[in-house]
């Protein structure tokens, strides 16, 4: 799931601490290119925390060599119960088919993100969890990741061209192996909507009217939490509003520093955003997203704009079966509801890899359908991105997610992945969080973000 990182400081020249130019943006991904085979047949440093190891278990086959290359270290940000167990099962499957052991070093998700730069420059693990697209490109361009073209020579047939593009650095080499993606939407309880007679809104005015009706019914319309390291969560709403009002390309250009944050188009985004604030949970600045999700589970709130990973909080099968989502409503009919946030998670090899042979074998396995099957058998709040994965056991939410993503014309990777990591974590997120507490400060908020943009982007 998408989380912020504290990016490495960069100079006003638009170059990183090594003097290298920062990577450019990723081209827009059309529905046709993104979906051509995307779902296949199924449609920290020395000061880093001491980490625990895990391993063992069952699994299946891959094309990797059976030669034992020893222990591979794996740095994981999957600290929540479901992903932690899923990664353990995946590594156990690799151990069973290869004979190699994996030492899994799990760090709290936000801590991992906030220390990633220091981690990669210090004594990183051989393989580590990360994100596709711009976020991957940023660290690959700094020489902090090992190219894996040899891995892709073996696993390439399992992925679409669009997925391959998300896995390449700006130098054309591969640095990333994906394992799943997931959509962002507006989640709700079907039984609550049925009992109250609420209808799923497709237009902005209907969305606001529904929120007002929920409030008059004594229900908090929106779950809301962006505290304790979760300052990334409000970006989902900002991203969708920007794409709904101004279109995908403007959104991406804004994230890549090519458009001004003081533009009237951005003001319009904040204006619409402010219309939601009377209907959100109070005390959000001190609440984590998991706690906000529990209010949705308990039917204390009516809706929650978040990623499919919210399903991890619905541990009762009956509650999970009652969970559904709808596309963020249309604001500007020119753009409709055609853009979808669908972040892609996966793995990279560190530039200081100690066991390259073992890491290569592990990455080949992670690019197999067997790896995705092992992972998704535990964490079903995501959807496979490998054409060889078994999707026959998908639950209703996963099936809907595949269709939801497949119908999109353009897919974004989420605001904190589609931009310079330092710019988002050091500038955008704090500014939006501050604005949420004082929505009358739109003009100064826009000016603050724009005035600091030049530290991260060349003109």
């Amino acid at each position: 799931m998408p989380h912020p990182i504290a990016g490495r400081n960069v100079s006003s020249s638009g170059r990183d601490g090594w003097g290298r130019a920062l990577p450019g943006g990723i081209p827009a991904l059309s529905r046709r290119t993104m979906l051509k085979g995307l779902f296949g047949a199924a449609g920290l440093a020395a000061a880093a925390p001491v980490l625990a190891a895990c391993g063992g278990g069952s699994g299946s086959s891959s094309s990797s060599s059976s030669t034992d290359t020893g222990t591979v270290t794996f740095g994981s940000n999957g600290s929540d119960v479901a992903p932690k167990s899923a990664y353990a099962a995946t590594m156990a499957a690799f151990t069973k088919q290869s004979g190699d052991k994996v030492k899994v070093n799990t760090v709290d998700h936000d801590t991992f993100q906030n220390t990633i730069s220091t981690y990669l420059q210090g004594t990183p693990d051989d393989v580590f969890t990360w994100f596709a697209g711009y976020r991957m490109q940023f660290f690959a361009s700094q020489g902090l990741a090992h190219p894996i073209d040899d891995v892709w020579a073996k696993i390439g047939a399992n992925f679409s061209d669009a997925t391959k593009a998300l896995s390449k650095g700006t130098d054309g080499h591969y640095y990333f192996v994906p394992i799943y993606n997931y959509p962002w939407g507006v989640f709700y309880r079907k039984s609550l909507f049925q009992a109250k007679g609420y209808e799923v809104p497709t237009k902005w005015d209907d969305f606001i009217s529904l929120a007002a009706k929920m409030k008059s019914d004594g229900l908090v319309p929106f779950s809301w939490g962006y505290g304790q390291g979760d300052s990334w969560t409000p970006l989902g709403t900002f991203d969708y509003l920007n794409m709904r009002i101004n279109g995908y390309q403007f959104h991406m250009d804004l994230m890549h520093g090519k458009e001004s944050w003081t533009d009237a188009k951005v003001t319009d985004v904040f204006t619409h955003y402010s219309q939601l604030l009377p209907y959100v949970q109070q005390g959000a600045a001190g609440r984590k997203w998991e706690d906000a999700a529990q209010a949705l589970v308990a039917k204390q709130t009516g809706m929650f704009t978040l990623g499919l990973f919210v399903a991890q909080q619905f541990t009762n099968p009956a509650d999970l079966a009652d969970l559904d989502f709808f596309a963020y409503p249309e604001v500007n009919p020119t753009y409709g509801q055609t853009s979808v946030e669908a972040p892609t998670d996966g793995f990279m090899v560190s530039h200081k890899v100690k066991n390259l042979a073992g890491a290569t074998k592990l990455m080949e396995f992670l690019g197999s359908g067997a790896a995705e099957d092992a992972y998704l058998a535990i964490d079903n709040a995501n959807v496979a991105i490998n054409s060889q994965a078994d999707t026959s056991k998908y639950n209703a939410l996963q099936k809907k997610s595949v269709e939801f993503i497949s119908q999109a014309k353009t897919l974004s990777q989420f605001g904190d992945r589609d931009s310079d990591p330092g710019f988002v974590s050091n500038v955008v997120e704090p500014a939006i969080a501050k604005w949420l507490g004082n929505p009358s400060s739109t003009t100064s908020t826009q000016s603050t973000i724009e005035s600091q943009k030049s530290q991260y982007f060349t003109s």
Side-chain angles (χ1 to χ4, degrees):
M1 58 197 80
H3 290 261
I5 66 168
R8 176 180 174 79
N9 291 332
V10 293
S11 68
S12 59
S13 66
R15 294 180 176 272
D16 62 37
W18 287 271
R20 299 183 179 92
L22 297 179
I26 308 169
L29 299 179
S30 70
R31 174 177 178 265
R32 180 173 299 175
T33 58
M34 185 69 191
L35 296 173
K36 186 179 180 183
L38 181 61
F39 297 104
L44 229 251
V50 176
L51 309 175
C54 69
S58 61
S60 53
S61 63
S62 93
S63 60
S64 299
S65 167
S66 61
T67 303
D68 189 339
T69 53
T71 299
V72 183
T73 59
F74 170 56
S76 171
N77 62 4
S79 57
D80 290 345
V81 174
K84 186 173 183 178
S85 297
Y87 281 135
T90 304
M91 299 307 157
F94 168 70
T95 295
K96 182 175 182 179
Q97 71 84 32
S98 69
D100 288 8
K101 296 180 180 179
V102 180
K103 179 182 179 182
V104 182
N105 299 315
T106 302
V107 176
D108 170 76
H109 202 119
D110 292 327
T111 300
F112 190 97
Q113 312 313 93
N114 291 330
T115 57
I116 185 68
S117 292
T118 306
Y119 166 74
L120 292 178
Q121 294 172 66
T123 54
D125 295 289
D126 296 322
V127 175
F128 62 97
T129 51
W130 202 237
F131 313 125
Y134 197 104
R135 272 292 167 95
M136 172 273 297
Q137 291 181 337
F138 183 86
F139 291 108
S141 72
Q142 294 182 341
L144 295 176
H146 194 285
I148 52 172
D149 293 15
D150 52 344
V151 171
W152 274 89
K154 294 185 177 181
I155 69 172
N158 297 343
F159 299 97
S160 70
D161 289 343
T163 301
K164 292 175 183 177
L166 286 172
S167 303
K168 287 182 179 179
T170 55
D171 59 2
H173 292 292
Y174 287 102
Y175 291 93
F176 182 86
V177 170
I179 191 166
Y180 62 72
N181 67 355
Y182 53 90
W184 274 62
V186 183
F187 287 82
Y188 68 100
R189 299 292 298 269
K190 289 182 288 188
S191 61
L192 178 63
F193 270 49
Q194 183 176 10
K196 297 289 187 179
Y198 300 147
E199 294 185 2
V200 170
T202 58
K203 310 286 186 180
W204 179 255
D205 288 345
D206 295 332
F207 194 38
I208 297 300
S209 295
L210 175 59
K213 178 67 168 95
M214 287 181 174
K215 189 172 184 178
S216 69
D217 289 343
L219 187 69
V220 177
F222 295 105
S223 282
W224 203 248
Y226 58 91
Q228 303 177 50
D230 286 353
S231 59
W232 49 272
T233 58
L235 283 177
T237 296
F238 182 90
D239 289 353
Y240 265 130
L241 282 174
N242 198 13
M243 290 190 290
R244 295 293 184 261
I245 295 169
N246 302 312
Y248 172 87
Q249 194 56 54
F250 180 87
H251 173 69
M252 297 301 288
D253 288 344
L254 183 69
M255 293 295 102
H256 295 159
K258 298 177 181 178
E259 295 285 353
S260 174
W261 281 79
T262 58
D263 192 298
K265 292 181 178 180
V266 182
T267 305
D268 199 13
V269 174
F270 280 106
T271 298
H272 281 78
Y273 206 146
S274 66
Q275 294 176 35
L276 298 171
L277 301 185
Y279 305 108
V280 303
Q281 268 184 303
Q282 297 301 303
R287 181 184 301 114
K288 292 185 69 64
W289 75 261
E290 292 93 341
D291 296 325
Q294 286 303 314
L296 190 67
V297 174
K299 297 184 180 181
Q300 296 169 349
T301 59
M303 298 174 281
F304 197 1
T305 301
L306 205 70
L308 183 62
F309 53 85
V310 70
Q312 295 171 356
Q313 299 299 307
F314 286 71
T315 55
N316 184 311
D319 290 334
L320 180 61
D322 191 41
L323 182 64
D324 203 351
F325 69 94
F326 56 86
Y328 207 83
E330 172 189 298
V331 180
N332 182 345
T334 300
Y335 304 110
Q337 297 173 287
T338 62
S339 295
V340 169
E341 297 255 64
T344 301
D345 290 3
F347 314 94
M348 298 176 71
V349 175
S350 68
H351 73 124
K352 292 185 177 181
V353 56
K354 294 181 176 63
N355 184 355
L356 180 57
T360 299
K361 285 177 64 178
L362 176 58
M363 293 293 273
E364 289 173 13
F365 176 75
L366 293 172
S368 70
E372 291 209 10
D373 293 344
Y375 185 93
L376 293 174
I378 304 296
D379 181 5
N380 60 6
N382 300 286
V383 292
I385 201 168
N386 189 310
S387 65
Q388 302 304 307
D390 179 8
T391 61
S392 64
K393 296 181 181 179
Y394 271 5
N395 61 33
L397 279 174
Q398 289 174 302
K399 292 177 181 177
K400 182 171 182 176
S401 295
V402 172
E403 181 180 2
F404 186 63
I405 293 172
S406 71
Q407 292 177 346
K409 288 186 178 179
T410 49
L411 299 173
S412 62
Q413 286 292 297
F414 196 77
D416 72 351
R417 304 184 183 196
D418 283 330
S419 187
D420 178 285
F423 177 61
V424 172
S425 61
N426 298 334
V427 180
V428 177
E429 287 178 4
I432 291 179
K434 185 176 181 180
W435 173 82
L436 288 170
N438 181 21
S440 64
S441 63
T442 297
T443 299
S444 61
T445 297
Q446 291 178 252
S447 297
T448 295
I449 296 174
E450 180 64 22
S451 68
Q452 298 181 59
K453 185 179 72 176
S454 62
Q455 300 176 48
Y456 301 90
F457 299 99
T458 56
S459 59

